[in-house]
Amino acid sequence: MNRPDLLARLESARAAREQAGLLRRARTCDALGVRRFVRGRALTDFCGNDYLGLAGHRDLVAALSRTAVAEGVGAGAAHLVSGHRGEHAALEEELADWTGRERALLFSTGVMANLGTLQALLGAGTLPVWGRGTSLCVQDRLNHASLIDGAQLAGAELRRYPHGDAEGAARQLDARPGLPALLATDGVFSMDGDVAPLRALADVCRPRGALLYVDDAHGLGVVGPQGAGSVSAAGLGTSDVPVLMGTLGKAVGCAGAFIAGDAAVIEGITQFARTYVYTTAMPAALAAATRAAVRLARVDRDGRRARLAANIARFRAGAAQLGLPLMASATPIQPLLMGTPSAATAAAAALEAAGFLVAAIRPPTVPRDGARLRITLSALHTPDRIDGLLDALARLPRPVESAVV
């Protein structure tokens, strides 16, 4: 049998990506605050997601250490077997209260939360054939990959609308009025830094009987009253956004994710989300550290959100003075369009030589001709480091006109 070789096909695809200058590689970093030590050099990190600077906070370290001593490291089982500890239950209660929901459900990662929850919402009751074509999922074109993958794995009919276009979302919902429907969007878009038009999307979903699902990975802790996220900032509640996803590895400074909503919704997700049912629970020590982080982020006695806002304003003002083509973003994510992958990688290398770690983001993560430097701000950045980055950016070759996408 002359069957095609999967490994050969994989290698061909990898080689093609390398030839196009799109190969990704991990770098090993040791961390201290916003400093990253790479091959013995200290760099200031301007590409991480520790927006409030909580990852190394002494309260988190103490809570993690104390609970690890008392309960060990691994949870030892899935939540629904014997892995659900008191720290998990307490964290879920605190996350639900923070986001104004009846219940919350912990997942090990944001990707797992999106995959499992969309599978439960779009495919429950249709197993084992996954209900292919029996539900509709409408999504923003710039949604996180895990939202797109979740809809596809659930077997839903996936339709995408132009970025931030509520009228486009309405047209996609109206095209298939006979199917149960879910509209999924990022709250804050991870590569552009802008905020979804959540009120307009809620207005689209309500009369059409569509469920609105918001992935607030980059909004939680940063925007809204008490840092409760983009849904709260938009003045929306559970009736407007029945399902909310938040991650715990960005502004919260830990790891993991959660889904929050009414108790009946969370119970249904608990039963049908395979990425929840069939995986070991996060360590109880990590849940304890996350509880400490949630309290710090919510109360914010140290004024971390105010410092972050001041840092964002300082960077944007300096970039405007330099004529740098930043995208329109009021969040910690500040993309600088470079156009081509080679221009983005060359710029990132030049910044690293100057002492700054900034990620070059290239297709397929962003659209064609949308390669960029994804600059992110933290409450821990000092004015002199921000000004130093601006000076280094000023010395880069100016992005080409084709960078405007």
Side-chain angles (χ1 to χ4, degrees):
M1 181 182 294
N2 193 20
R3 188 189 301 277
D5 188 322
L6 283 175
L7 295 181
R9 189 173 68 180
L10 176 66
E11 171 55 24
S12 177
R14 186 212 61 81
R17 178 164 284 188
E18 182 174 22
Q19 181 66 28
L22 301 176
L23 205 62
R24 300 180 176 98
R25 296 189 188 280
R27 70 170 75 219
T28 301
C29 305
D30 294 319
L32 180 63
V34 289
R35 287 188 293 171
R36 297 292 180 270
F37 298 91
V38 181
R39 295 187 295 275
R41 290 189 65 226
L43 307 173
T44 303
D45 184 7
F46 277 99
C47 59
N49 298 324
D50 186 17
Y51 302 129
L52 297 180
L54 291 176
H57 194 283
R58 60 183 179 276
D59 289 1
L60 278 65
V61 174
L64 185 137
S65 301
R66 182 174 60 249
T67 309
V69 169
E71 299 202 35
V73 177
H79 285 280
L80 298 178
V81 180
S82 62
H84 194 66
R85 310 285 181 83
E87 290 291 347
H88 297 130
L91 175 57
E92 288 178 340
E93 290 178 4
E94 291 178 27
L95 290 169
D97 186 62
W98 189 19
T99 57
R101 309 275 157 148
E102 287 184 354
R103 278 188 60 188
L105 186 70
L106 290 174
F107 285 79
S108 295
T109 69
V111 170
M112 291 176 72
N114 279 336
L115 295 183
T117 302
L118 288 177
Q119 170 239 317
L121 293 169
L122 294 166
T126 61
L127 301 179
V129 295
W130 298 98
R132 195 156 297 279
T134 60
S135 58
L136 173 67
C137 189
V138 172
Q139 299 202 23
D140 191 292
R141 285 197 175 275
L142 298 188
N143 271 357
H144 192 270
S146 60
L147 289 172
I148 298 165
D149 292 348
Q152 292 175 328
L153 288 170
E157 180 179 328
L158 175 62
R159 287 175 170 261
R160 299 168 73 182
Y161 59 89
H163 178 51
D165 183 356
E167 291 183 1
R171 288 193 296 272
Q172 296 289 27
L173 286 169
D174 291 343
R176 298 289 277 156
L179 291 178
L182 179 149
L183 192 157
T185 181
D186 285 13
V188 174
F189 288 89
S190 61
M191 293 299 126
D192 287 42
D194 58 336
V195 181
L198 296 179
R199 276 193 164 275
L201 292 173
D203 290 342
V204 163
C205 289
R206 199 175 297 111
R208 292 169 173 83
L211 184 74
L212 182 54
Y213 179 115
V214 175
D215 174 339
D216 209 21
H218 294 272
L220 186 72
V222 174
V223 299
Q226 295 188 318
S230 61
V231 173
S232 178
L236 302 175
T238 308
S239 62
D240 307 296
V241 182
V243 188
L244 171 68
M245 193 281 275
T247 56
L248 305 170
K250 298 178 174 64
V252 179
C254 295
F258 67 96
I259 295 291
D262 286 344
V265 173
I266 298 304
E267 181 58 31
I269 293 168
T270 301
Q271 298 303 315
F272 294 103
R274 292 160 72 89
T275 56
Y276 174 81
V277 175
Y278 298 112
T279 194
T280 300
M282 70 163 62
L286 179 58
T290 307
R291 291 180 64 200
V294 167
R295 290 191 290 270
L296 288 167
R298 188 173 182 177
V299 177
D300 195 23
R301 290 193 180 92
D302 297 332
R304 289 170 184 264
R305 269 189 293 279
R307 289 204 303 276
L308 176 60
N311 286 346
I312 295 167
R314 185 183 190 93
F315 178 76
R316 287 194 66 84
Q321 290 178 351
L322 294 172
L324 297 175
L326 291 180
M327 297 176 70
S329 167
T331 70
I333 301 165
Q334 296 293 318
L336 177 61
L337 289 169
M338 303 302 294
T340 65
S342 59
T345 53
L351 292 174
E352 183 171 339
F356 302 98
L357 191 57
V358 177
I361 307 296
R362 299 159 291 165
T365 304
V366 291
R368 185 169 173 250
D369 296 328
R372 66 197 62 182
L373 296 175
R374 181 183 180 271
I375 299 161
T376 55
L377 282 300
S378 167
L380 294 183
H381 285 129
T382 56
D384 66 300
R385 288 284 78 194
I386 294 171
D387 294 345
L389 174 62
L390 288 165
D391 289 342
L393 290 169
R395 294 192 294 270
L396 295 177
R398 287 304 169 107
V400 295
E401 300 222 350
S402 64
V404 180
V405 295

